[in-house]
Amino acid sequence: MTDETAAADLRNEVDAFLRDHDPHTMDRIDFLRARYDAGLAWVDYPHELGGRALDRSLQPIVDAAFLAAGAPDNAPHRNVIGLGMAAPTILKYANEADQKRWLRPLWTGEEIWCQLFSEPGAGSDLATAGTKAVRDGDSWIVNGQKVWTSLAHEATWALLIARTDPDVPKHRGLSYFVCDMSSPGVDVRALRQLTGEAEFNEVFLNDVRVPDANRLGELGEGWKVTQTTLMNERVAIGAGLAPREGGPIGFLCRTWRAGANEKSTAGTHDRVLQLWERAEAARLTTARLRQQMAAGLPGPEGSGAKLTYALLAQEISSLEVDILGDEGMRFDDYTSRRPDLDEESRRPGTYRFLRTKGNSIEGGTSEIMRNIIAERVLGLPSEPRVDIDLPWKELAR
């Protein structure tokens, strides 16, 4: 089947679906469930998991057709970890029964996912994670502390890495689980950040019981599974689908056209144009990266996209505050609260200036991204690592 034939067939399928499912009269969740069951959720997934087993590059055709019909979407900005990181990991490592159990409510947004990876002593060097899992019959008893956990306060499920063997080197003693966030012993505590909001959390795990049936991958091979999640995370952050003038550059252009350009210099005008060009180049580059991903797993190139996004977002938000002048010093609301993702487009430039400071930390620091690019893309010598062969329990902490 040619791409043109597949695209035409998909448009016909969407039209037929919409004739039988009126998005203006159906309940939103019922509509999304029906769309999933019809194989029109993520077209590259298998038929029984909401897809058509087609090339991922055909997804925009389906999404555009539903958008034009005024159909509700699955609010992807509210379940970034589930859609961008958990789903591809589940697809690769979970058994068929668990795939069917988790993927449908994940895609419809009925179940939110979070990621229990980073710890106070294991951030950039995630392989040193010390959260402990001890076997107890058909379950594991988990104890430890995680930090910087987005959406933990809303999540139904969490991707969890825990140390199941402290007697082997750090990369070989981890196992990967799916944890029910409603389990006894899961304690979520808000972390207030620079913007005043509590977007992140620290999560304490006190004798939390996780069934061995919820383990993804083989025992002790959690690092291998983790790499799938992390590579998808970096692509989700740095190579997300965005229209022209989407994201940070869109806010800058909106501010510029609203009248800020009238009091700016020629140098400022030149700077806006330079950032617009760089943002557009990054968008086109990441579009090509996503096309390459359609043929297989994401690779280290996602680290380049993530690094580029972090640097650009910070430069753009800084310029937006500069061209606002005195107005750029004002902040609308510093109340300690959970963020409302639907309000972000109405926040002032100062909010974006503060929030983008986290872009170079979340999803892997920019320093780690540079290491990955140097070693895995450019083939430069690795940094000296003296702890690779040491048992985890002998590492200095």
Side-chain angles (χ1 to χ4, degrees), residues 10-23 26 30-40 52 66 71:
L10 272 177
R11 292 189 187 94
N12 291 334
E13 290 288 344
V14 173
D15 290 342
F17 177 87
L18 290 170
R19 284 195 294 271
D20 296 332
H21 303 81
D22 186 348
M26 284 186 68
D30 288 342
F31 181 88
L32 292 173
R33 289 172 180 167
R35 176 178 167 181
Y36 182 96
D37 294 341
L40 297 170
R52 295 297 178 96
F66 278 107

Side-chain angles (χ1 to χ4, degrees), residues 1-15 39-40 43-44 47 52-63 65:
M1 180 186 297
T2 66
D3 290 344
E4 292 80 5
T5 301
D9 288 347
L10 272 177
R11 292 189 187 94
N12 291 334
E13 290 288 344
V14 173
D15 290 342
L40 297 170
V43 298
D44 55 311
H47 292 78
R52 295 297 178 96
L54 296 171
D55 193 286
R56 188 182 306 183
S57 63
L58 296 170
Q59 184 69 45
I61 295 172
V62 175
D63 293 339

Side-chain angles (χ1 to χ4, degrees), residues 48-85:
E48 66 276 11
L49 299 175
R52 295 297 178 96
L54 296 171
D55 193 286
R56 188 182 306 183
S57 63
L58 296 170
Q59 184 69 45
I61 295 172
V62 175
D63 293 339
F66 278 107
L67 178 64
D73 65 13
N74 58 347
H77 62 293
R78 294 189 170 275
N79 201 12
V80 174
I81 294 170
L83 293 166
M85 301 157 220

Side-chain angles (χ1 to χ4, degrees), residues 197-220:
E197 297 176 333
E199 183 179 343
F200 305 102
N201 306 272
E202 54 184 345
V203 179
F204 294 86
L205 304 164
N206 303 299
D207 292 332
V208 176
R209 185 173 292 273
V210 178
D212 186 60
N214 282 15
R215 175 166 46 85
L216 299 184
E218 298 299 322
L219 185 64

Side-chain angles (χ1 to χ4, degrees), residues 132-136 139-143 163-164:
K132 181 171 63 174
V134 178
R135 191 69 179 257
D136 182 29
S139 300
W140 296 83
I141 305 301
V142 181
N143 284 277
R163 190 155 302 278
T164 50

Side-chain angles (χ1 to χ4, degrees), residues 14-168:
V14 173
D15 290 342
F17 177 87
L18 290 170
R19 284 195 294 271
D20 296 332
H21 303 81
D22 186 348
H24 303 291
T25 59
M26 284 186 68
D27 174 77
R28 176 178 176 274
I29 292 299
D30 288 342
F31 181 88
L32 292 173
R33 289 172 180 167
R35 176 178 167 181
Y36 182 96
D37 294 341
L40 297 170
W42 29 40
V43 298
D44 55 311
Y45 277 47
H47 292 78
E48 66 276 11
L49 299 175
R52 295 297 178 96
L54 296 171
D55 193 286
R56 188 182 306 183
S57 63
L58 296 170
Q59 184 69 45
I61 295 172
V62 175
D63 293 339
F66 278 107
L67 178 64
D73 65 13
N74 58 347
H77 62 293
R78 294 189 170 275
N79 201 12
V80 174
I81 294 170
L83 293 166
M85 301 157 220
T89 307
I90 292 168
L91 184 65
K92 182 173 176 60
Y93 288 101
N95 59 46
E96 184 179 348
D98 284 337
Q99 289 173 345
K100 292 181 177 179
R101 168 191 175 197
W102 285 322
L103 288 177
R104 186 177 189 249
L106 184 161
W107 188 85
T108 62
E110 295 172 85
E111 294 180 350
I112 304 299
W113 287 67
C114 68
Q115 191 173 307
L116 298 176
F117 281 16
S118 296
E119 300 180 5
S124 295
D125 190 4
L126 183 59
T128 61
T131 291
K132 181 171 63 174
V134 178
R135 191 69 179 257
D136 182 29
D138 294 334
S139 300
W140 296 83
I141 305 301
V142 181
N143 284 277
Q145 180 187 356
K146 300 292 183 176
V147 74
W148 311 126
T149 308
S150 301
L151 301 175
H153 55 291
E154 297 180 350
T156 305
W157 301 99
L159 304 172
L160 165 69
I161 55 170
R163 190 155 302 278
T164 50
D165 188 350
D167 297 321
V168 297

Side-chain angles (χ1 to χ4, degrees), residues 219-297:
L219 185 64
E221 293 190 2
W223 187 249
K224 177 182 177 181
V225 185
T226 298
Q227 291 309 296
T228 296
T229 306
L230 292 178
M231 286 189 293
N232 279 285
E233 176 183 38
R234 288 155 193 166
V235 171
I237 293 174
L241 289 173
R244 176 175 290 182
E245 288 196 8
I249 193 64
F251 290 111
L252 174 60
C253 290
R254 185 179 68 182
T255 299
W256 180 261
R257 291 170 182 141
N261 59 329
E262 296 174 1
K263 52 187 176 183
S264 295
T265 65
T268 306
H269 189 190
D270 184 58
R271 185 73 178 131
V272 171
L273 288 174
Q274 288 180 12
L275 288 173
W276 191 96
E277 290 173 350
R278 288 172 56 193
E280 181 62 8
R283 185 185 72 85
L284 294 174
T285 300
T286 55
R288 184 173 61 183
L289 172 60
R290 294 187 74 90
Q291 291 175 350
Q292 293 172 344
M293 285 171 50
L297 291 175

